[in-house]
């Protein structure tokens, strides 16, 4: 499987199978004429080139998969010049990320079913898992959200009866490192009626009412199908029925915040367009290809904003390689080591080139597999700050008017019996005109990396540190040039002070220096002469400065530039040292001298690597909090820049990052300087402000007298540093909401409860910034439809919503009773269930008359165990292996290869098709009882150490979504969504089926299928008379075995009744390797211990066809070098005879000792 340095012992054994000489030779399905070189033969043709191959990463190509390989890119690093990396330097490939930072969807569910007459079943697996994901732009530049639809389809074992499906699904966080969850916002049920899917939409009801309605439909012959879904804590609970052939549960989710980070430009010349990377992984279920659970369609569709594209695998092949290695290293289990990555192919004809991708297969992969869409999205800059004499100084407030249809559903009934409206208002604050003589102290803080890696040569003969020096000097000159214009515009006054602090750091503070200048000294003539002397050593300009008495000003600036030019590389890198040094210098030199004055600061953080030690994020937060930082920018240059760290530091500084392998060329440098100057000017315009919000009063008639209420209440506000103070009660009939903590120049979003129509509110709304009224306007609400309703409901439920990390609640207005009242109104109006579980989405539709499902036949409630306290090791999809073997079973029966049987072993009854002694077929038996096995069957006791409890932990095993004799917790006790890594560990990376590792499952399945093919061609025997204890027959009656059956499953013994062989339809448990029963036992519910998730196996032809479909879909994952065997195209399996398929199975790779 794996190659080169990534090879593991388990994977080597699979890879070795590819070089074993197969019986019969040739391809799996021999063709009349040679098909030419296969996929991997092409790879050999390219071997003469310098290729990077990434085992375990594949590009979807129609029905095939191509292993990712590309010409090794040229990435210059300090190591090329014998500069060794230090601990913390990010030596991974540019644009790479790690497994813990993936936005990773992991669908962990448990489903039980009940029938009108047949016995109930537990832990039933779906026959379709479909993802439809859309990455959307968030509320802020560089932030993104997710809309996700998951479709789960369940097929009835007895379509002539009514079936009820009851599922529970554990909620999840989208990422291990981002505290944002996938929230259920909508549910649709579907019933397959007369060849068509009939949708059953849902309406909100109180939970008790919804359950009663579903029960009434299910238990009566109403000709309807009903469904309901509730959410309580971190568990989603859905029920659907009665359905006939198949039923679907369609769950729609939203996630307010995805993990993203700044993309590094790999082209020469630096950053041409600032883009963000959003890695989205959709985990697929997996199963051994001889397990009937693998008969499941998987489908994924992903959309992204306009201008988005996939991170180019050929250019960024090293980034994909590093991610694959991170996936393999993130867990000790083999499932993690064998995680496969599929890159989907683009959908042709979609608006916006490369903005949608698709992947589909009709069977499950035989190893843990994810569909990875690593999306590159262009960032939208917030615009340029314009400086001129007519610059408006008033705050602008935009009242966002929803679409008329949405506005209806944002109407709520308040206690005054009046209708009110929930509206948003965006305010863009501006500093009011400054009073003459007021003083502002602004500080530019440059934190600059001078570690040893900056000694790398670039741009000809200069090293990185020299380039930093030149860039920082030029940045300083650009700002100096802007000062006269800012004075003319009134942004800066003569009384203001401009400080510049430089902190040069490696593993400590290397150098500190700076300059302080009075703005009154920087008139246009002085600045022009100063620029000429500093940049061109103009003697005449220097003489003019001296004549004006400003020779000392020139000397201070010249000393600062000389100190900057003298910085040289050395040492390791500690962002902590730089941030702490800058904070301490600011506290001493600025606040120590100018305490009590209005102070602002702008930070430029320049680096060529990552933080080598210490809690740098806490140090950055302290800098922002204590040094009056308004905004900042991170510039990262070089291959060792830690993109995640740089992106996080930029967000903490309330700014952006520009990352590149090399310094920008002239045109791009000018573009970056312009953006930096724009952000710098915005910072100069800021100051701490206080905001008041009101809209007069409304009058209403109570029994005793007229009463007054606020025309508008501010319920929430989002913005940096915001908090609510006590309301302003200066007016006798209404109050004003008061907010502080905002800086002039920053924006905020207000969430309003208006008792006035929006047209009247637009004229009455008054927003005051430092007693200066804002200019109010009305614009269209950007959020629409269910996304808008979900946003409001999430805020009211105190759950995750866009920007919620910065939101604050106005507790003087939004008391608990009002919050619950508004939540209920929105839940019913928008058809969205509440987070608390008080409401449920329920629906019913006229479908088809079906036999009712009585209460005692309905499925048992699926059970959910708390993931937070889990100690058992994962074994299967939604299950856990007990820490000690269960009683009465052999826990050590794993054999990876067949052995020659001894005479004693051959004395065992020969009835088991795959019960080859001591590990042949499906593994060693628990005893020599000889119970049935084979393709979609197995031996009593299971292989590879599977306990009797099987997948879902019966007989002492524990199951996250299954029955257990251990301590279980009710859904109400499970209140925290789980991170993806926890769901992966707990479910065996979404394993469908029995307990075995992917490597062992592949070896066993190949041998099992080969043996089945041999037996399927044998002559069929007559059905023997059933052998049963007379006492059992007297108690339960005779076995209703058909006198003659068209199909006989040779070698398969019923694990419940002992019938040998099984005739008619055989039922195989997907939860265990070795559980097979007759249809009679399945209908009566006579299941052997550990058996669950029963699937019907009509005959050997069906079994071989299903297994070969999985083999042809996924052979590259197991035998990547056997393109010669599988060929370039797949045959039509439906057209092949049993003999053809049997011959193909004989050619499957398998290992012999």
């Amino acid at each position: 499987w794996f190659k080169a340095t990534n090879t593991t012992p388990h994977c080597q054994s699979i890879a070795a199978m590819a070089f074993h000489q197969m019986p019969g030779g040739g391809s799996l399905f021999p063709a009349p004429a040679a098909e030419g070189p296969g996929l991997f033969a092409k790879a050999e043709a390219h071997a003469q080139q310098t290729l990077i191959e990434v085992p375990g990463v594949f590009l979807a190509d129609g029905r095939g998969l191509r292993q990712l390989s590309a010409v090794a890119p040229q990435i210059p690093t300090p190591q090329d010049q014998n500069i060794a990396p230090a601990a913390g330097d990010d030596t991974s490939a540019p644009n790479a990320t790690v497994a813990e930072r993936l936005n990773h969807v992991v669908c962990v569910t448990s489903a039980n079913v009940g029938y009108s007459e047949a016995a109930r079943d537990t832990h039933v697996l779906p026959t379709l898992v479909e993802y439809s994901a859309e990455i959307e732009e968030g509320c802020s530049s560089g932030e993104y959200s997710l809309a996700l639809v998951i479709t789960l389809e369940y097929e009835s074992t007895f379509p002539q009866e009514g079936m009820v499906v009851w599922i529970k699904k554990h909620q999840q966080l989208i990422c291990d490192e981002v505290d944002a969850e996938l929230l259920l916002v909508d549910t649709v049920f579907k019933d397959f009626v007369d060849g068509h899917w009939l949708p059953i939409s849902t309406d909100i009801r109180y939970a008790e009412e919804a359950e009663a309605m579903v029960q009434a439909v299910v238990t009566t012959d109403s000709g309807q199908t009903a469904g309901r879904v509730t959410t309580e804590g971190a568990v989603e609970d859905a029920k659907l029925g009665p359905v006939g052939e198949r039923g679907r549960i369609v769950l729609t989710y939203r996630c307010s915040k995805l993990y993203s980070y700044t993309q590094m430009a790999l082209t020469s010349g630096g950053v041409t367009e600032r883009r963000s990377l959003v890695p989205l992984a959709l985990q697929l279920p997996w199963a051994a290809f001889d397990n009937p659970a693998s008969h499941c369609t998987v489908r994924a569709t992903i959309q992204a904003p306009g201008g988005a594209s996939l991170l180019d695998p050929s250019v960024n092949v090293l980034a994909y390689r590093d991610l694959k290695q991170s996936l393999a290293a993130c867990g000790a289990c083999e499932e993690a080591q064998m995680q496969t990555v599929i890159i989907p192919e683009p959908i042709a004809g979609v608006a916006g080139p490369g903005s949608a991708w698709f992947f589909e297969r009709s069977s499950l992969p035989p190893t843990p597999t994810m569909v990875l869409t690593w999306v590159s999205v262009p960032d939208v800059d917030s615009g340029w700050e314009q400086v001129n004499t007519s610059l408006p100084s008033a705050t602008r407030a935009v009242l966002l008017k929803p679409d008329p249809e949405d506005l209806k559903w944002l109407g709520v009934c308040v206690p005054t019996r009046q209708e009110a409206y929930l509206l948003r208002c965006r305010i863009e604050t501006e500093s009011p005109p400054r009073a003459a003589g007021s003083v502002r102290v602004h500080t530019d803080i440059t934190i600059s990396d001078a570690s040893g890696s900056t000694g790398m040569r670039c741009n000809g003969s200069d090293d990185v540190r020299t380039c930093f020096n030149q860039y920082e000097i030029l940045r300083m000159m650009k700002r100096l040039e802007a000062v006269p214009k800012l004075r003319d515009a009134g942004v800066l006054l003569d009384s203001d002070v401009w400080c510049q602090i430089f902190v040069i750091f490696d593993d400590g503070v290397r150098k500190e220096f700076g300059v302080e200048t009075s703005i009154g000294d920087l008139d246009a003539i002085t600045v022009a002469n100063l620029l000429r002397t500093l940049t061109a050593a103009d003697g005449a300009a220097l003489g003019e400065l001296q004549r004006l008495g400003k020779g000392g000003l020139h000397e201070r600036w010249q000393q600062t530039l000389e100190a900057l030019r003298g910085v040289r590389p050395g040492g390791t890198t500690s962002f902590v040292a730089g941030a702490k040094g800058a904070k301490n210098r600011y506290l001493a030199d600025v606040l120590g001298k100018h305490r009590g004055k209005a102070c602002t600061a702008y930070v430029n953080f320049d680096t060529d690597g990552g933080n080598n030690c210490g809690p740098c994020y806490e140090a950055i937060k302290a800098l922002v909090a204590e040094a009056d930082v308004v905004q900042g920018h991170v510039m990262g240059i070089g291959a060792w820049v830690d993109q995640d760290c740089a992106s996080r530091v930029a967000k903490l500084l309330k700014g952006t990052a520009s990352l590149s392998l090399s310094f920008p060329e002239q045109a791009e440098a000018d573009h970056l300087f312009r953006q930096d100057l724009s952000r710098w000017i915005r910072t100069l315009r800021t100051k701490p402000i206080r905001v008041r919000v009101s809209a007069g009063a409304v009058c209403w008639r109570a029994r005793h007298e007229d009463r007054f209420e606020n025309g508008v209440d501010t319920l929430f506000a989002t913005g940096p540093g915001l908090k609510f103070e006590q309301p302003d009660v200066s007016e006798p009939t209404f109050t004003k909401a008061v907010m502080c903590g905002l800086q002039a120049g920053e924006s905020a979003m207000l969430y309003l409860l208006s008792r006035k129509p929006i047209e009247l509110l637009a004229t009455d709304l008054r927003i005051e910034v430092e007693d200066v009224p804002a200019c109010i306007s009305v614009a269209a609400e950007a959020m629409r439809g269910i996304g808008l309703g979900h946003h409001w409901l999430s805020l009211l439920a105190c759950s995750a919503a866009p920007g919620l990390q910065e939101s604050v609640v106005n507790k003087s207005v939004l008391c608990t009773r009002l919050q619950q009242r508004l939540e209920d109104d929105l839940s019913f109006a928008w058809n969205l269930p509440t987070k608390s579980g008080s409401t449920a989405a329920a629906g019913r539709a006229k479908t088809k008359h079906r036999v009712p499902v009585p209460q005692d036949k309905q499925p048992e409630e699926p059970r959910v165990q708390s993931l937070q306290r889990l100690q058992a090791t994962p074994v299967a999809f939604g299950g856990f292996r007990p820490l000690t073997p269960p009683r009465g079973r052999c826990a050590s029966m794993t054999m990876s290869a067949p052995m020659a049987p001894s005479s004693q072993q051959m004395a065992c009854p020969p009835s088991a098709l795959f019960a080859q002694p001591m590990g042949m077929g499906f593994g060693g038996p628990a005893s020599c009882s000889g119970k049935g096995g084979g393709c979609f069957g197995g031996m009593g006791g299971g292989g590879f150490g599977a306990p009797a409890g099987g997948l879902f932990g019966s007989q002492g095993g524990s199951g996250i979504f299954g029955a257990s004799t251990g301590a279980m917790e009710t859904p109400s006790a499970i209140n925290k969504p789980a991170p993806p890594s926890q769901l992966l560990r707990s479910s065996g990376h979404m394993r469908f089926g029995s307990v075995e590792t992917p490597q062992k499952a592949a070896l066993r399945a190949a041998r099992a299928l080969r043996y089945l093919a041999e037996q399927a061609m044998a002559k069929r025997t007559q059905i023997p008379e059933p052998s049963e204890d007379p006492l059992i027959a007297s108690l339960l009656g005779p076995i209703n075995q058909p006198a003659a059956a068209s199909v006989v499953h040779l070698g398969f013994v019923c694990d419940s009744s002992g019938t040998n062989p099984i005739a008619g339809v055989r039922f195989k448990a997907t939860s265990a390797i070795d559980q097979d029963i007759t249809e009679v036992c399945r209908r009566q519910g006579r299941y052997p211990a550990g058996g669950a998730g029963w699937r019907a196996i009509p005959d050997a032809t069906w079994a071989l066809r299903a297994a070969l479909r999985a083999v042809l879909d996924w052979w590259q994952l197991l035998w990547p070098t056997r393109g010669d065997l599988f060929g370039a195209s797949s045959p039509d399996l439906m057209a092949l005879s049993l003999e053809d398929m049997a011959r193909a199975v004989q050619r499957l790779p398998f290992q012999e000792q």
Side-chain angles (χ1 to χ4, degrees):
W1 186 301
F2 292 92
K3 292 184 181 180
T5 59
N6 216 27
T7 305
T8 64
H10 288 304
C11 304
Q12 287 173 344
S13 61
I14 288 187
M17 294 160 52
F19 300 100
H20 181 73
Q21 180 63 41
M22 301 310 305
S27 66
L28 194 65
F29 298 94
E35 298 182 7
L39 174 64
F40 287 88
K42 294 179 182 178
E44 292 175 4
H46 289 294
Q48 296 179 355
Q49 303 180 28
T50 305
L51 288 180
I52 297 291
E53 292 190 345
V54 188
V57 179
F58 297 89
L59 291 91
D61 186 7
R63 295 300 304 176
L65 297 172
R66 289 188 295 109
Q67 182 176 288
L68 175 59
S69 64
V71 176
Q74 298 299 315
I75 305 294
T77 74
Q79 285 178 293
D80 299 337
Q81 300 174 21
N82 298 319
I83 300 174
D89 280 328
D90 186 1
T91 57
S92 63
N95 294 322
T97 190
V98 295
E100 294 80 5
R101 294 173 189 151
L102 289 178
N103 299 295
H104 202 161
V105 178
V106 184
C107 182
V108 175
T109 64
S110 176
N112 295 343
V113 298
Y115 295 92
S116 303
E117 298 177 359
R120 298 180 289 191
D121 197 2
T122 58
H123 313 300
V124 175
L125 300 173
T127 53
L128 167 74
V129 177
E130 180 178 5
Y131 297 110
S132 179
E134 182 175 3
I135 299 171
E136 302 172 338
E137 293 180 355
C139 294
S140 303
S141 177
E143 292 188 354
Y144 302 92
S145 59
L146 176 69
L148 174 71
V149 179
I150 299 179
T151 301
L152 301 173
E153 180 179 314
Y154 294 89
E155 187 172 313
S156 176
T157 303
F158 305 104
Q160 70 278 12
E161 301 182 20
M163 179 181 73
V164 176
V165 183
W166 191 351
I167 77 165
K168 291 198 176 184
K169 178 180 176 296
H170 204 289
Q171 290 185 331
Q172 71 159 97
L173 301 175
I174 193 62
C175 176
D176 279 20
E177 296 191 5
V178 175
D179 189 18
E181 63 179 285
L182 281 172
L183 285 174
L184 181 66
V185 299
D186 193 22
T187 305
V188 173
F189 300 97
K190 294 184 178 181
D191 190 2
F192 195 69
V193 180
D194 297 330
H196 301 283
W197 285 105
L198 180 66
I200 304 170
S201 58
T202 57
D203 299 319
I204 288 296
R205 297 285 186 269
Y206 285 111
E208 297 81 1
E209 177 189 1
E211 180 64 25
M213 182 269 289
V214 172
Q215 286 300 321
V217 171
V218 169
T219 58
T220 61
D221 185 12
S222 62
Q224 301 177 58
T225 301
R228 67 105 182 103
V229 62
T230 62
T231 301
E232 186 173 0
V235 177
E236 295 149 6
D237 182 317
K239 185 181 290 187
L240 171 66
V243 296
E245 292 180 45
R246 288 174 279 171
R248 285 182 176 178
I249 300 174
V250 184
L251 306 168
T252 300
Y253 296 87
R254 294 192 71 87
C255 179
S256 62
K257 186 175 182 181
L258 297 177
Y259 171 77
S260 62
Y261 60 104
T262 304
Q263 182 173 348
M264 176 171 285
L266 302 185
T267 57
S268 61
V271 181
T272 57
E273 180 185 32
R274 191 158 58 86
R275 301 177 73 92
S276 291
L277 293 175
V278 186
L280 176 64
L282 305 174
Q283 189 72 28
L284 303 180
W286 69 277
F289 51 67
D290 68 326
N291 189 319
S294 70
H295 190 61
C296 172
T297 298
V298 287
R299 187 179 301 138
T301 305
I302 305 95
Q303 291 183 285
S309 60
L310 280 185
L311 182 66
D312 191 334
S314 60
V315 176
N316 293 275
V317 62
L318 297 177
Y320 283 89
R321 179 204 63 187
D322 287 359
L323 174 60
K324 180 63 180 73
Q325 292 175 350
S326 174
L327 290 167
C330 68
C333 59
E334 186 179 320
E335 288 86 354
Q337 297 169 4
M338 300 187 71
Q339 176 80 268
T340 298
V341 175
I342 304 295
I343 302 172
E345 57 186 334
I347 300 176
V350 175
S355 60
W357 302 268
F358 180 75
F359 179 77
E360 181 179 18
R361 290 294 183 272
S362 58
S363 59
L364 297 186
T367 69
T369 301
M370 66 169 64
V371 176
L372 174 66
T373 313
W374 208 336
V375 181
S376 171
V377 188
D379 289 344
V380 179
D381 194 86
S382 59
W384 305 111
E385 184 74 12
Q386 300 180 3
V387 182
N388 53 56
T389 54
S390 62
L391 188 67
S393 58
T395 294
R396 299 178 295 276
V398 182
L399 192 60
L400 301 179
K401 183 179 181 180
D403 181 89
E405 187 69 16
D406 293 339
L407 186 60
K408 289 192 302 183
W409 313 127
L410 289 172
V412 293
C413 186
V414 292
T416 59
R417 297 185 179 181
Q418 295 175 318
E419 187 174 22
Y421 300 91
L422 298 174
L423 302 169
R424 299 198 306 160
C425 180
R426 185 179 65 249
I427 60 174
E428 302 287 344
T429 63
E430 295 289 349
S431 181
R434 297 183 58 187
S438 63
V439 178
R440 175 179 298 169
V441 179
H442 174 76
T443 305
D444 291 337
I445 302 174
T446 299
I447 305 174
S448 191
D449 184 354
S451 61
S453 57
T454 61
M456 176 184 172
R457 296 289 173 181
C458 66
N459 293 357
S461 60
D462 293 333
D463 57 36
V464 172
R465 183 59 250 178
T466 300
C467 293
F468 270 141
N469 296 343
Q470 296 169 352
Y471 193 89
E472 288 160 4
I473 289 173
L474 187 55
R475 187 165 58 201
M476 191 177 176
M477 295 299 99
K478 292 284 187 182
R479 293 175 183 176
L480 175 62
E481 185 180 1
V483 169
K485 294 182 180 179
L486 294 171
R487 290 180 63 190
D488 294 341
V491 175
L492 294 174
L493 302 181
D494 289 352
S495 54
D496 291 342
V497 178
W498 181 21
C499 301
Q500 297 184 71
I501 294 175
F502 288 84
V503 176
I504 312 300
F505 71 94
D506 45 28
D507 53 338
V509 175
R510 172 93 66 80
K511 203 172 187 180
E512 293 177 294
F513 53 90
V515 60
E516 179 179 309
T517 309
S518 172
I519 296 298
D521 290 338
L522 296 177
D523 57 83
I525 295 176
T526 299
V527 168
N529 286 317
L530 190 58
L531 286 171
R532 287 201 298 270
T533 61
L534 295 175
T535 59
D538 189 321
L542 176 58
E544 181 66 16
L545 287 175
Q546 291 173 341
R547 187 185 67 80
L548 294 173
K550 295 182 180 179
L553 174 65
H554 168 266
E555 184 178 351
R556 293 194 302 272
W557 275 74
Q558 186 67 40
Q559 289 174 351
T560 301
L561 297 188
E562 290 300 326
L564 187 53
R565 292 188 183 105
V567 176
R568 294 291 179 264
T572 58
T573 306
S574 171
F575 288 4
V576 178
K580 285 186 175 180
K583 182 191 72 173
N584 294 336
R585 186 65 184 251
Y586 181 87
L587 294 177
D589 292 358
V590 179
L591 291 188
K593 182 178 179 180
H594 301 286
R595 190 172 300 277
K597 300 175 182 177
C599 295
T600 57
Y602 182 87
V603 175
N604 284 102
F605 201 109
D606 302 330
T607 182
D608 79 325
N611 176 56
N612 293 149
C613 61
C616 71
Y617 302 127
E618 294 304 316
I620 298 293
K621 289 178 183 177
L623 171 68
V624 172
E626 299 181 45
D628 303 306
V629 174
V630 175
Q631 199 174 14
H633 181 72
V634 175
M635 184 174 72
I637 302 295
W640 284 1
V641 171
D642 185 331
Q643 290 170 250
D644 174 73
C645 184
S647 302
R648 294 189 184 206
V649 169
K651 290 178 181 179
L652 291 174
L653 293 175
K654 311 176 197 176
T656 57
S658 299
L659 309 179
S660 175
L661 280 180
S662 60
F663 275 91
E665 295 177 351
Q666 183 60 44
E668 180 55 29
D670 183 66
H671 182 73
L672 292 177
F673 280 131
R674 288 174 178 272
Q675 288 184 317
D676 181 80
L677 192 62
S678 177
R679 290 184 287 263
W680 180 71
I681 293 173
R682 180 174 288 274
T683 302
L684 293 178
R685 294 175 49 78
T686 196
K687 60 173 286 189
I689 56 174
R690 183 172 275 99
V691 181
R692 289 176 170 83
V693 182
S694 64
V698 294
C699 180
W700 65 287
R701 181 68 182 175
R703 182 185 63 82
H704 61 295
E705 62 179 359
D706 288 342
R707 290 188 54 181
F708 294 93
E709 300 291 340
N710 290 336
V712 69
D713 281 318
T714 305
L715 304 178
F716 307 95
T718 63
L722 268 177
K723 61 180 179 181
F724 283 93
E725 294 183 336
Q726 288 185 343
D728 182 337
V729 294
S730 58
E731 298 291 338
T733 57
F734 64 91
T735 62
K736 301 178 181 180
V738 181
M739 293 168 287
C740 65
L742 202 63
Q743 297 279 341
E746 293 179 334
S747 61
M749 185 69 74
L750 308 181
Y751 293 80
L752 307 177
L753 173 66
S754 174
R755 295 177 178 86
K756 298 182 177 182
I758 190 169
E759 294 77 13
L760 182 58
L761 180 65
T763 61
D764 292 351
L765 182 63
R766 185 176 177 86
I767 298 177
E768 302 166 292
V769 175
E770 298 297 315
D771 299 324
V772 177
C775 298
I776 309 295
S777 62
V778 178
E781 168 66 83
M783 299 183 72
R784 293 176 179 271
I786 198 168
L788 179 60
H790 166 258
H791 183 76
W792 272 99
L793 196 61
S794 298
L795 281 167
L796 288 168
C798 298
S799 185
L804 192 61
Q805 293 78 3
E806 297 177 345
S807 71
V808 287
V809 180
N810 187 0
K811 295 183 180 179
S812 65
V813 171
L814 191 62
C815 61
T816 302
R817 294 293 295 273
L818 178 60
Q819 181 177 358
Q820 292 173 347
R821 182 168 187 158
L822 296 177
E823 188 180 16
D824 281 356
D825 272 8
L826 288 182
S827 177
F828 278 86
W830 286 92
N831 206 35
L832 296 170
T834 61
K835 180 75 173 176
S836 63
S838 61
T839 62
R844 57 193 174 109
K846 198 73 175 178
T847 52
K848 197 171 186 178
H849 285 279
R850 297 192 177 96
V851 181
V853 182
Q855 186 70 42
D856 62 339
K857 288 287 189 177
Q858 290 185 25
E860 301 173 0
E861 180 178 1
R863 306 203 48 198
V864 182
Q865 186 183 29
S866 173
L867 295 177
Q868 284 71 28
R869 303 178 185 176
L870 216 53
Q871 298 297 327
T873 54
V875 295
F877 178 72
F880 295 89
R881 179 166 53 219
L883 297 178
T884 57
R887 293 169 294 182
R889 304 285 284 194
C890 177
S892 301
M893 54 186 72
T894 303
M895 298 295 291
S896 61
M899 298 174 60
S902 66
S903 58
Q904 183 180 2
Q905 291 163 350
M906 290 300 292
C908 296
S911 59
L913 178 59
F914 285 104
Q916 300 183 30
M918 294 303 293
M920 299 188 71
F922 282 110
S927 65
C928 290
S929 60
K931 291 196 174 183
C935 182
F936 302 96
M939 303 188 352
F944 309 106
L951 170 62
F952 295 97
S954 300
Q955 294 190 10
S958 62
I960 174 179
F961 293 91
S964 170
T965 58
M968 299 295 295
E969 298 194 46
T970 61
S972 61
I974 303 172
N975 296 315
K976 295 180 64 176
S981 60
Q982 196 170 21
L983 291 174
L984 288 171
R985 289 193 302 268
S986 68
S987 64
H989 282 62
M990 282 183 66
R991 181 193 290 111
F992 274 21
S994 52
V995 180
E996 53 186 344
T997 64
Q999 185 260 350
K1000 291 180 179 178
L1003 298 176
R1004 174 192 55 72
R1007 294 193 302 269
L1009 289 177
R1010 186 177 184 224
Y1011 195 77
L1012 174 64
E1014 294 172 354
Q1015 296 300 313
M1017 302 302 297
K1019 182 179 179 180
R1020 298 179 181 177
T1021 60
Q1022 296 295 321
I1023 305 173
E1025 290 295 324
S1027 176
E1028 190 177 60
D1029 191 308
L1031 179 59
I1032 300 298
S1034 66
L1035 292 173
L1036 301 178
I1039 296 176
N1040 186 20
Q1041 178 69 48
S1046 58
V1047 176
V1048 176
H1049 298 267
L1050 293 174
F1052 288 89
V1053 180
C1054 177
D1055 287 290
S1056 177
S1057 66
T1059 300
N1060 181 14
I1062 294 175
V1065 177
R1066 172 168 59 95
F1067 283 83
K1068 161 65 183 164
T1070 58
S1071 65
I1073 295 172
D1074 59 344
Q1075 299 286 342
D1076 300 272
I1077 59 175
T1078 63
E1079 181 175 354
V1080 172
C1081 291
R1082 168 63 189 89
R1083 285 186 172 276
Q1084 294 178 356
R1086 297 165 59 187
Y1087 306 148
W1094 300 95
R1095 291 275 180 94
I1097 310 297
D1099 52 37
T1101 301
W1102 185 96
L1104 286 175
R1105 182 176 291 122
L1108 283 172
R1109 177 71 272 164
V1111 169
L1112 294 176
D1113 278 345
W1114 302 100
W1115 64 267
Q1116 294 94 337
L1117 276 61
L1118 295 177
W1119 305 292
T1121 60
R1122 294 310 304 269
D1124 63 312
L1125 183 64
F1126 293 94
S1129 60
S1130 299
D1132 180 6
L1133 291 177
M1134 297 301 296
L1136 295 181
S1137 65
L1138 176 63
E1139 291 77 9
D1140 292 334
M1141 291 188 289
R1143 281 193 294 269
V1145 166
Q1146 293 289 336
R1147 295 185 174 91
L1148 283 178
F1150 71 101
Q1151 189 178 34
E1152 290 182 337
Q1153 290 183 345

